[in-house]
């Protein structure tokens, strides 16, 4: 719990955030964090007014360099002179890119910082208090559960095209979005399996001819796309098929992300 300290006659106001009040929800083309502040109002005189304005910014701390701002929002908190506790709800818009960056740099629990500035606009001189910073921590298990609740929207817009009325292409995109969702829960092998399914579907629907034993210089552009797709499928399925060369291999998160991006790009050129 932190304190917003004003001049003696204007009182000291407490601010805290309960970790269990922090949730992430789906929006339209974006997501948003929601949290609840607990603001303790002291017993004050008439000179303090009856309104506390809070300016807040949500940050992601970084191991090196300055913390990264995510979004800002303001809230006005009316209060009684006799003292009370108010619980305003705040929302912060988070883009897919920001959300994926948070997940990529997370090690264990998700850690955020909330910077808060307070003002008393009804008091003479519009007095302000010094800034405070609330340090927030969301347990890893709870954070993964919330990411899973976002469904297939997580990260999909960054990498995966959205075919409108083409059923085979839509099936491929669905596999890739499911791979992205599983990756959000750190399910590496399951995500790679979805990539393999996407590549197998492209094989069945692309119409690209296999070059057979042609000399390299005789292979057409159409046949070269077939070779590229086959190489990507081999890379996605070797460990799961227990190939001699990859039976002891463990995929990394970066490899899955790369194959999701490559398959999404390949889908763009499927006829």
């Amino acid at each position: 719990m932190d304190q917003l300290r004003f001049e003696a006659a204007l009182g000291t106001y407490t601010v805290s955030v309960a970790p269990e009040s922090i949730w992430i929800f789906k929006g339209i083309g974006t997501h948003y964090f929601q949290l609840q502040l607990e603001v303790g109002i002291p017993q004050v005189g008439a000179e303090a007014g009856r309104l506390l304005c809070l300016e807040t910014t949500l940050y992601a701390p970084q191991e090196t360099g300055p913390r990264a701002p995510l979004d800002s929002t303001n809230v006005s908190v009316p209060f009684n002179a006799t003292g009370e506790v108010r619980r305003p709800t705040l929302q912060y818009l988070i883009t897919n890119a920001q959300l994926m960056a948070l997940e990529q740099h997370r090690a264990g629990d998700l850690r955020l910082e909330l910077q808060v500035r307070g003002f008393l606009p009804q008091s003479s001189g519009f007095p302000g208090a010094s800034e405070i910073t609330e340090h927030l921590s969301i347990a890893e298990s709870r954070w993964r559960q919330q990411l899973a609740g976002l469904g297939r929207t997580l990260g999909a817009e960054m990498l995966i095209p959205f075919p409108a009325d083409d059923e085979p292409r839509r099936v491929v995109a669905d596999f890739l979005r499911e791979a992205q969702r599983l990756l959000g829960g750190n399910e590496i092998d399951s995500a790679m399996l979805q990539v393999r399914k996407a590549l197998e579907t492209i094989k069945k629907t692309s119409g690209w001819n296999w070059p057979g034993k042609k000399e390299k210089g005789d292979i057409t552009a159409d046949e070269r796309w077939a070779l590229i797709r086959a190489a990507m499928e081999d890379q996605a399925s070797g460990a799961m098929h227990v190939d001699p060369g990859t039976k002891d291999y463990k995929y990394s998160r970066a490899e899955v992300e790369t194959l999701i991006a490559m398959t999404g790009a390949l889908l763009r050129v499927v006829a």
Side-chain angles (χ1 to χ4, degrees):
M1 182 179 295
D2 286 295
Q3 296 181 332
L4 295 169
R5 297 179 180 273
F6 293 89
E7 298 174 9
L10 302 180
T12 298
Y13 303 72
T14 61
V15 177
S16 63
V17 179
E20 61 270 17
S21 76
I22 304 172
W23 288 91
I24 187 165
F25 297 93
K26 287 189 290 188
I28 299 178
T30 187
H31 311 285
Y32 63 94
F33 274 112
Q34 178 173 293
L35 58 85
Q36 188 177 69
L37 288 180
E38 185 169 290
V39 183
I41 308 296
Q43 186 173 351
V44 293
E47 61 269 30
R50 296 294 179 265
L51 189 66
L52 172 66
C53 291
L54 300 176
E55 296 181 350
T56 72
T57 302
L58 190 64
Y59 288 89
Q62 302 184 94
E63 292 183 4
T64 59
R67 59 187 181 175
L70 297 173
D71 190 30
S72 298
T73 191
N74 303 330
V75 64
S76 296
V77 184
F79 59 85
N80 296 314
T82 55
E84 61 179 328
V85 174
R86 291 280 184 165
R87 295 180 175 85
T89 297
L90 306 180
Q91 293 181 344
Y92 303 88
L93 289 178
I94 304 294
T95 66
N96 255 339
Q98 288 175 314
L99 190 56
M100 293 303 293
L102 284 175
E103 181 63 10
Q104 182 178 358
H105 293 94
R106 178 180 63 81
D109 297 348
L110 177 68
R111 303 192 184 281
L112 301 170
E113 294 180 3
L114 183 67
Q115 180 178 291
V116 181
R117 297 178 65 198
F119 301 89
L120 294 171
Q122 295 177 343
S123 183
S124 177
F126 200 80
S130 58
E131 293 180 349
I132 61 173
T133 300
E134 280 283 296
H135 297 273
L136 314 178
S137 179
I138 306 174
E140 180 177 17
S141 58
R142 186 169 178 271
W143 173 244
R144 287 187 178 181
Q145 183 182 31
Q146 292 195 34
L147 289 182
L150 296 179
R152 296 181 177 181
T153 63
L154 176 57
E157 292 91 336
M158 292 190 298
L159 303 174
I160 303 164
F162 286 83
D165 298 317
D166 187 332
E167 183 62 26
R169 287 163 59 91
R170 186 183 299 115
V171 170
V172 174
D174 284 346
F175 281 135
L176 293 179
R177 294 187 190 109
E178 180 65 8
Q180 191 77 70
R181 186 190 69 80
L182 291 166
L183 196 60
N186 213 34
E187 299 180 50
I188 304 297
D189 286 344
S190 296
M192 190 65 92
L193 177 60
Q194 297 299 315
V195 175
R196 190 186 78 187
K197 289 180 178 178
L199 289 164
E200 289 173 347
T201 304
I202 289 177
K203 178 182 179 180
K204 297 174 184 176
T205 60
S206 67
W208 294 329
N209 295 314
W210 187 251
K213 297 182 179 180
K214 282 185 177 182
E215 294 293 330
K216 181 178 179 180
D218 296 330
I219 299 175
T220 66
D222 178 81
E223 293 167 340
R224 293 180 190 194
W225 282 122
L227 289 172
I228 291 170
R229 188 217 60 82
M232 291 167 58
E233 183 182 337
D234 284 343
Q235 184 68 351
S237 60
M240 283 174 274
H241 285 172
V242 197
D243 295 338
T246 60
K247 63 180 181 179
D248 298 320
Y249 189 72
K250 296 293 184 182
Y251 289 113
S252 69
R253 181 187 186 89
E255 287 175 305
V256 182
E257 290 174 342
T258 299
L259 279 168
I260 289 173
M262 292 173 66
T263 307
L266 191 65
L267 182 58
R268 296 178 185 276
V269 298
V270 174

